[in-house]
Amino acid sequence: MEEVVVAKFGGSSLADSKQFTKVKDIVTSDKRRRYIVPSAPGKRSGDDHKITDLLYMCYQLASHGINFDEVYSIISKRYEDICSDLELDLDIKEILTDIKYKIQEGATRDYTASRGEYLNALILSEYLGFEFVDAKDLIVLDKGDKLDLEKTKKNVASTLADIPYAVIPGFYGANEEGHIITFSRGGSDITGSIIASGVDAVLYENWTDVSGFYMADPRIVDNPRHIDTITYRELRELSYMGAPVLHEESIFPIKSAEIPINIKNTNRPEDPGTMIVSESAPINHLETITGIAGKKDFTVISIEKTRMNEDKGFFRKLVSVLESNDVSIEHMPSSIDSISLIVSSSEINSKLDKVIEEIRIYCKPDSITTYPEMALIAVVGRGMINTKGTSAKIFTALANNGVNIRMITQGSSELNIIIGIKNKDFDKAISAIYEAYK
Ligand code: ASP
């Protein structure tokens, strides 16, 4: 069977006509690149606008009955310029007018936002000479607007079986009533992954404006080491903790088929990028630590109660207080007589007093202390399982740099160590751990 590569191009890779020419060079340089998934045009420079943001703005204005001509004309100009620069024979003006009319007539928020990808895919398909296949005819969402992966995979496989080369817009699908539903922001990554699983691709390429992942955030650490290979699970841990680049939900569709993802740079296609592989893939060189990432703004609620472990139902009551207040628990480290709940500050802030009061009533603890403005740092690495002294090295590095550790948890898989510190120590802690391992 012929090998297939699915290539997704992000917004910065398709921000203007110059970027489109780079994308064409990349696509045509490997015949296996048969299914292409574009995002909407992104920023051309720091102070530019993403088309998706402008579309959300149009929707907002239209839904308040405010004229959105000015914003829409910025959107139209972006697409018109791309088409005229590339000398395309596509009546983009007519399509833009039709979309504007639909927004005026009360199109949904999701429909409006999805047009960024729709238009870009129409243009790219014309430019590449590939067929346009609408994502609304491939990607099925169920009643709760959740992806129905099985139905979708069948659709993708049967539809694309007869179409050797196609462009499929990212970011959206349709529910059973045929209404357009978008994924969360950055969701074209998920579309690429879905298409790759549906056509059983040998590789899913995700083209962006960086050459893959780095061991730590380059805004915090100077020239961090590049990550050549990372596993799905390591990536999941790191992206949950805020390492950007790939949408965290993009792993699920391809995980069982073990399709590798290659993060590549459209502006430096010769760079190998980062390979994201399944846990079972052979890896040549194993570092102890693959990456360090973190998130700020958590609140820790620390509860003490003597003989907590003998109090049957204690944990259930505690968790149910959070559940009934609609607050999700990020982590829950515990010791014999104490337990800490780590929750996102933005979720708990307005409810903190109520939650604490309810914990007092239902769980009758000896004491409750809250620590606001906390940050979590995850040190992730599949190599930690086989290495002694990893945590000692991390803690020494933090202590030597004057960072006070408030909490430590290690996942049962020994894939990560999570450390709780004060927000203000965030950058210092990441740099200290990186220096210890670089
Ligand atoms: N255009 C959408 C966004 O800006 C989806 C994507 O780029 O992946 O979030």
Side-chain angles (χ1 to χ4, degrees):
M1 220 172 68
E2 238 183 291
E3 290 192 341
V4 179
V5 172
V6 171
K8 177 255 165 180
F9 290 89
S12 58
S13 302
L14 292 161
D16 59 20
S17 58
K18 210 172 116 231
Q19 293 300 87
F20 267 72
T21 58
K22 291 184 193 169
V23 167
K24 187 172 188 171
D25 288 344
I26 291 166
V27 172
T28 51
S29 68
D30 185 343
K31 281 269 165 274
R32 298 177 310 162
R33 292 186 180 121
R34 288 175 35 196
Y35 301 115
I36 312 300
V37 176
S39 283
K43 292 183 179 191
R44 290 160 294 187
S45 60
D47 52 5
D48 198 14
H49 305 288
K50 286 176 110 181
I51 291 293
T52 310
D53 292 337
L54 297 175
L55 285 164
Y56 279 124
M57 219 181 273
C58 289
Y59 168 80
Q60 200 66 20
L61 292 169
S63 65
H64 287 88
I66 302 170
N67 183 301
F68 60 94
D69 285 357
E70 209 174 307
V71 183
Y72 199 77
S73 66
I74 306 174
I75 298 171
S76 301
K77 182 153 184 344
R78 278 288 276 286
Y79 289 111
E80 285 166 19
D81 284 352
I82 294 172
C83 287
S84 67
D85 289 352
L86 300 176
E87 298 177 355
L88 297 180
D89 207 12
L90 178 73
D91 196 351
I92 197 76
K93 280 201 173 118
E94 194 188 317
I95 306 166
L96 282 160
T97 309
D98 179 56
I99 292 172
K100 187 176 177 194
Y101 176 75
K102 291 209 170 84
I103 301 172
Q104 260 155 358
E105 292 302 295
T108 64
R109 185 172 188 270
D110 283 12
Y111 172 87
T112 306
S114 73
R115 296 305 88 183
E117 272 68 13
Y118 172 82
L119 287 157
N120 232 17
L122 280 178
I123 297 174
L124 188 61
S125 68
E126 181 75 22
Y127 184 47
L128 295 174
F130 286 15
E131 192 161 323
F132 171 84
V133 178
D134 199 341
K136 82 169 171 29
D137 302 322
L138 295 180
I139 296 179
V140 189
L141 295 112
D142 65 16
K143 286 204 179 66
D145 290 345
K146 285 257 169 311
L147 173 70
D148 185 333
L149 187 59
E150 285 320 304
K151 269 195 196 155
T152 299
K153 271 164 69 172
K154 278 196 195 117
N155 264 350
V156 171
S158 61
T159 309
L160 297 183
D162 303 325
I163 306 174
Y165 293 93
V167 176
I168 302 128
F171 192 36
Y172 70 93
N175 64 14
E176 279 154 8
E177 283 110 58
H179 296 138
I180 299 276
I181 307 292
T182 55
F183 296 126
S184 54
R185 295 301 304 265
S188 301
D189 286 344
I190 310 173
T191 311
S193 175
I194 293 170
I195 302 298
S197 81
V199 300
D200 203 13
V202 288
L203 179 67
Y204 167 30
E205 289 178 337
N206 191 292
W207 292 84
T208 175
D209 54 3
V210 288
S211 298
F213 298 110
Y214 293 87
M215 213 176 126
D217 188 337
R219 286 167 300 188
I220 299 177
V221 169
D222 279 341
N223 286 321
R225 204 168 64 205
H226 183 258
I227 302 176
D228 301 334
T229 316
I230 185 169
T231 63
Y232 296 150
R233 269 176 57 198
E234 286 174 313
L235 179 70
R236 169 109 181 93
E237 302 278 351
L238 286 173
S239 49
Y240 160 75
M241 271 300 183
V245 180
L246 190 75
H247 195 295
E248 59 175 312
E249 283 165 45
S250 345
I251 305 295
F252 301 117
I254 49 165
K255 206 172 172 180
S256 59
E258 301 194 353
I259 301 168
I261 309 175
N262 194 186
I263 306 290
K264 294 276 286 177
N265 188 347
T266 302
N267 306 317
R268 295 175 58 95
E270 63 288 354
D271 286 357
T274 296
M275 269 293 191
I276 308 164
V277 297
S278 87
E279 277 58 43
S280 59
I283 288 163
N284 298 334
H285 181 64
L286 193 58
E287 306 284 352
T288 315
I289 298 298
T290 308
I292 308 156
K295 264 197 208 169
K296 284 189 191 170
D297 298 326
F298 290 99
T299 296
V300 178
I301 306 173
S302 205
I303 298 138
E304 297 219 8
K305 183 172 187 174
T306 314
R307 302 225 161 88
M308 182 185 278
N309 54 335
E310 289 168 17
D311 180 352
K312 293 197 184 70
F314 178 86
F315 294 108
R316 179 179 43 77
K317 282 182 261 175
L318 184 60
V319 171
S320 66
V321 169
L322 279 286
E323 190 182 359
S324 63
N325 281 284
D326 200 23
V327 175
S328 32
I329 303 169
E330 304 280 336
H331 291 281
M332 220 164 66
S334 65
S335 64
I336 306 284
D337 288 337
S338 77
I339 184 158
S340 294
L341 302 173
I342 300 175
V343 292
S344 133
S345 301
S346 62
E347 250 190 76
I348 189 107
N349 270 351
S350 60
K351 305 169 185 166
L352 189 59
D353 292 344
K354 181 166 177 272
V355 167
I356 289 180
E357 192 49 32
E358 288 178 21
I359 295 176
R360 265 194 230 290
I361 295 169
Y362 296 118
C363 307
K364 304 195 174 44
D366 300 340
S367 70
I368 307 182
T369 320
T370 54
Y371 301 95
E373 292 173 18
M374 296 290 291
L376 295 180
I377 292 181
V379 184
V380 177
R382 58 195 180 278
M384 288 194 319
I385 303 175
N386 304 315
T387 319
K388 290 197 190 78
T390 309
S391 28
K393 199 164 162 182
I394 296 171
F395 303 144
T396 309
L398 292 174
N400 288 345
N401 283 277
V403 177
N404 188 13
I405 303 171
R406 283 289 169 78
M407 180 215 95
I408 304 154
T409 52
Q410 175 161 38
S412 50
S413 56
E414 276 195 56
L415 189 70
N416 65 358
I417 294 178
I418 294 178
I419 302 148
I421 53 162
K422 280 264 169 208
N423 270 350
K424 68 171 177 46
D425 289 333
F426 189 74
D427 288 9
K428 195 161 54 165
I430 293 208
S431 305
I433 301 170
Y434 177 77
E435 287 303 319
Y437 275 99
K438 73 173 182 192

